Structures are given as structure tokens and as C-alpha cells.
Amino acid sequence: MLSRIFSTVLLWGLILGSLWFFGPHAAVAILTLLAALTLHEFYQLAEKMGFRPFRWISLAFSVLITAGPYYVTEYFFDGDEPASFAPTLLALAIVVFGVRILFERDNTNRVESLIATIVGLLYVPFLLHFLVRLLLLYSDTNTGLVACLWVVAVSKFCDVGALLTGLAIGKHKMAPHISPKKTWEGAVGGVLTSAGIGALIAWLAADYVPESLTPAVAALVGVPIALVTIVSDLIESAMKRRADIKDSGRMIPGIGGAFDLTDSLILTAPVAYVAFFFLS
């Protein structure tokens, strides 16, 4: 527990410090790096399940899909985001994978390799790139950064609230065959924590968040964000159970790998983007 707390505080310090000095470039760089590392670990899990994804080609597309929308907008489209950029890259990647599969020597695993590769690219960098699109949603860079931080904080504090509530009063198992330690009481505590954190940030950063994101609205939006966070976390737990491992990696003491860090953000990112799109 102590190592997890220390790692969490250190990570938040590094993230906030990077954003303070380097702004949106730091946000895009951090997200791109985490997406690539998460995809790498996703493919490690897939290999333990017997698949053979095309790791390095997919990692190159991961970087382009995650960072591409920001830099294309920054240098080529004069602030207007090309919403089709990432989907077009995803389609191009599938074409490349289709060609690559013809050179696969193992005839018995070609289709599985193709499916695992496509699913990884779609599930990790494509979904996470919606945080970059959220950053680009506002003409004011500070508003976009705070919106992204709001999403990350609401998602990650759901984990914290669920853990502490579960340890204190958790009795009823939520998904014993997927994640035995998660309880319904913990889930309720996580949702309430997310709502409270969302409202608190909206109040403290009222000058930077969208005007429509009042503390009351932030609390309400935080509830579905938290619910999706729980589902996203359970999906990674199901994958780890299928691969018969505890953590996706050992990169972060007390937390695990990059996938253990970003798991709650993967499904949350597109949901949050849609929510802020209608609030903007």
C-alpha cells in the first residue's frame, strides 16, 4: 500500500510539473508514451494467450494515432481538428496488417494474429486518442488541459475511493470470477468519490473549465465517467486472469505496468470526450 501511495504521488507530481512547464506538448507526449507502453503490454498478454500480434508495426501506428491529431492540427490545419485523421490511420493500419499477414509463416495462427493486432490498436491508442481530441476541443489551451486533467482525476480517484471503501466496509463481491477483491460497496464509494472530485475541481478551477461545467454538473457527469471506469478496469482484470498473471508489468512499484495505470482511462476517454463535446 505504501509503495502504491508513493508511486501515485510521484506520478501526479511528474505529470503536473510537466504540464506546468511544457503545456499541451507534455500532455500529448505523456499520453503517447503511455498508449505505446500499454499497447506493448496488451500484446504481451495476447502472446500469453497464444496469439502472435504484429507488435512493432502496430506500435508505430500507435504513436501516429495518439499524437497525430494534435500535431496535424497544430501545424497543418490552423486549429481545426481533422476528426477523420485517427480513423483514417486505423484503416491504413488494417491494410498494412493485411499485407503483413501474407508473410506469416505459421499458417495455423494467421487469422488470430491479425485479429489480436487490430483489437489492440483499436482498444488502446485509438480509444485513448480521444483525450487528445478533448485537448483540442477548446480554443483556449488551458481549458483543454484542465478538461483532460479533470477526466484523469475523476477516473483515477474512482479507483482510490473504491479501494478504500472496499477495505473499510466491502462485503459483497462484484465480480468474483474476474476481480475477487472488488465489491459493490467499493464501487459505490468509487462513484461517490469521483462525483466529489469532479465537483471540487470544477469549483477550484472555475476560471479554466467550460462555463457549463458547474460543480453540480461536474458531479453528475462524474457518475457515468466513474461507472465506465469500473467497467474498463474489469476488462483489464479479465485479460490478466485469462493470461494468468497478476500485473501487466513491473514498471511502477505498487501499481504494476502501464496497462495497470491506464486501464481505467481507455473506455473513459471517448465517453468523456462526448460529454464535454455537448457541454462545450
Side-chain angles (χ1 to χ4, degrees):
M1 179 65 75
L2 289 177
S3 61
R4 180 168 183 167
I5 294 173
F6 176 78
S7 294
T8 299
V9 173
L10 180 62
L11 284 170
W12 272 107
L14 290 173
I15 290 172
L16 293 175
S18 299
L19 296 180
W20 178 266
F21 287 105
F22 302 106
H25 291 284
V28 174
I30 291 170
L31 185 63
T32 302
L33 177 61
L34 286 176
L37 291 173
T38 300
L39 183 61
H40 178 71
E41 293 177 3
F42 181 98
Y43 286 151
Q44 285 182 325
L45 293 176
E47 287 173 351
K48 290 182 180 295
M49 299 177 200
F51 304 109
R52 296 179 60 186
F54 310 139
R55 184 193 304 268
W56 300 112
I57 299 175
S58 189
L59 286 173
F61 274 105
S62 173
V63 172
L64 294 175
I65 288 172
T66 310
Y70 178 80
Y71 289 105
V72 167
T73 301
E74 182 79 4
Y75 296 109
F76 296 101
F77 284 84
D78 194 26
D80 294 324
E81 180 206 357
S84 63
F85 184 76
T88 300
L89 279 177
L90 183 62
L92 179 61
I94 294 174
V95 173
V96 173
F97 298 153
V99 175
R100 168 64 179 82
I101 199 176
L102 298 178
F103 298 93
E104 185 69 18
R105 294 182 179 180
D106 187 355
N107 294 332
T108 63
N109 209 26
R110 284 181 175 174
V111 175
E112 290 82 355
S113 297
L114 178 62
I115 292 173
T117 306
I118 294 173
V119 169
L121 195 66
L122 175 63
Y123 186 69
V124 180
F126 183 74
L127 293 186
L128 284 176
H129 102 282
F130 279 94
L131 286 176
V132 176
R133 291 187 62 183
L134 176 58
L135 179 66
L136 295 168
L137 191 59
Y138 302 95
S139 57
D140 187 346
T141 301
N142 290 326
T143 300
L145 280 175
V146 172
C148 288
L149 282 173
W150 185 92
V151 174
V152 174
V154 167
S155 298
K156 301 314 294 183
F157 274 94
C158 178
D159 295 340
V160 175
L163 174 64
L164 296 179
T165 306
L167 289 174
I169 60 173
K171 294 181 180 179
H172 300 87
K173 303 295 184 182
M174 183 170 61
H177 299 296
I178 298 177
S179 185
K181 293 183 179 180
K182 287 183 172 58
T183 63
W184 286 108
E185 291 85 357
V188 172
V191 171
L192 294 177
T193 301
S194 290
I197 289 294
L200 179 62
I201 295 175
W203 177 62
L204 292 175
D207 293 335
Y208 299 103
V209 297
E211 292 183 4
S212 56
L213 193 71
T214 64
V217 171
L220 290 175
V221 175
V223 172
I225 294 292
L227 293 174
V228 175
T229 292
I230 294 170
V231 174
S232 190
D233 182 65
L234 285 173
I235 290 176
E236 195 228 359
S237 297
M239 289 188 62
K240 291 191 294 185
R241 183 163 289 273
R242 172 66 176 82
D244 195 25
I245 63 171
K246 181 180 179 182
D247 296 319
S248 64
R250 299 180 180 179
M251 183 178 66
I252 310 169
I255 294 177
F259 202 175
D260 296 308
L261 186 66
T262 62
D263 57 349
S264 56
L265 293 172
I266 292 175
L267 294 184
T268 302
V271 174
Y273 173 80
V274 172
F276 275 88
F277 179 83
F278 285 105
L279 287 172
S280 63

